[in-house]
């Protein structure tokens, strides 16, 4: 089944390196807010190209080519297995790490889908808000942290004159 063991091992190493670089922890988005994603790898956003994401994608493509050349048969099956593994394994590994080995703030998970914020205008220039932000601590230790809200607007000029 394996035609060239060196190419096969090289492809496996490249695939593992690219998955490690694309490990979605401690943030959900590895390289910031993604605009275009290929195989769960952010390529660009409103800020421009993510060169790390492009490098990871090139490593994956090189790993795929080397895997294809190293095998005698089952090329199509290995391609689909490769796509499934690269797409699904890193988020699953990150979640397993957080639930088992992580400690401190790394063991705290934010449950985005259950969050709620309510805002009420109490004056012409005053907005009052109440937010419920659920977190889950997977460690046995108590963890303290603070939460801050980033307060800039999309079209606001942040340069100082």
């Amino acid at each position: 089944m394996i035609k060239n063991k060196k190419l096969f091992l090289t492809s496996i190493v490249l695939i593992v390196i690219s998955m490690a670089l694309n490990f979605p922890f401690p943030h959900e988005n590895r390289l910031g807010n993604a605009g275009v994603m290929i195989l769960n790898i952010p390529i660009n956003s409103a800020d421009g190209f993510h060169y790390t994401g492009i490098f990871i994608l090139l490593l994956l493509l090189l790993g795929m080519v080397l895997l294809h050349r190293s095998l005698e048969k089952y090329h199509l099956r290995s391609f689909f297995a490769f796509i499934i593994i690269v797409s699904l394994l890193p988020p699953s590994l990150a979640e397993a790490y957080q639930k088992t080995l992580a400690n401190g703030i790394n063991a705290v998970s934010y449950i985005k889908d259950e969050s709620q914020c309510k805002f009420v205008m109490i004056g012409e220039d005053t907005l009052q808000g109440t937010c419920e932000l659920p977190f889950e601590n997977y460690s046995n230790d108590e963890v303290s942290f603070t939460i801050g809200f980033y307060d800039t607007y999309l079209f606001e000029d942040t340069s100082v004159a």
Side-chain angles (χ1 to χ4, degrees), residues 2 6 8 26-27 34 40 47 51-52 80 96 108 134 152 154 157:
I2 297 175
K6 286 184 181 181
F8 182 75
H27 306 292
N40 232 2
D47 297 332
Y51 295 108
T52 308
F80 286 119
V108 175
T152 61
L154 183 61
D157 185 16

Side-chain angles (χ1 to χ4, degrees), residues 1-16:
M1 182 172 143
I2 297 175
K3 182 172 34 174
N4 188 333
K5 287 185 181 182
K6 286 184 181 181
L7 282 179
F8 182 75
L9 289 176
T10 305
S11 71
I12 297 299
V13 167
L14 288 175
I15 292 167
V16 169

Side-chain angles (χ1 to χ4, degrees), residues 6-152:
K6 286 184 181 181
L7 282 179
F8 182 75
L9 289 176
T10 305
S11 71
I12 297 299
V13 167
L14 288 175
I15 292 167
V16 169
I17 289 172
S18 64
M19 285 180 14
L21 289 173
N22 199 34
F23 196 66
F25 189 82
H27 306 292
E28 184 178 319
N29 296 327
R30 275 87 40 205
L31 303 170
N33 292 329
V36 175
M37 293 185 73
I38 299 174
L39 293 178
N40 232 2
I41 300 170
I43 301 301
N44 76 351
S45 69
D47 297 332
F49 288 105
H50 289 294
Y51 295 108
T52 308
I54 293 170
F55 177 71
I56 292 169
L57 186 62
L58 289 175
L59 281 179
L60 279 173
L61 290 174
L62 183 61
M64 191 182 327
V65 168
L66 293 179
L67 182 67
H68 178 74
R69 290 187 176 192
S70 69
L71 298 175
E72 281 187 42
K73 52 184 175 175
Y74 304 120
H75 298 286
L76 193 59
R77 291 179 191 173
S78 66
F79 173 77
F80 286 119
F82 170 83
I83 298 296
I84 291 170
I85 288 171
V86 167
S87 297
L88 300 179
L89 193 60
S92 302
L93 286 176
E95 184 178 347
Y97 168 74
Q98 188 175 31
K99 289 182 177 181
T100 56
L101 300 174
N103 56 16
I105 192 66
N106 291 331
V108 175
S109 176
Y110 167 57
I111 307 168
K112 184 172 37 173
D113 296 336
E114 295 178 13
S115 299
Q116 293 181 14
C117 287
K118 296 177 184 174
F119 300 100
V120 177
M121 293 295 293
I122 59 173
E124 189 174 313
D125 295 332
T126 307
L127 178 72
Q128 181 180 13
T130 305
C131 290
E132 294 179 25
L133 305 172
F135 294 91
E136 188 166 351
N137 185 1
Y138 294 111
S139 71
N140 294 329
D141 303 326
E142 190 173 304
V143 178
S144 298
F145 58 93
T146 58
I147 299 173
F149 292 96
Y150 186 63
D151 190 25
T152 61

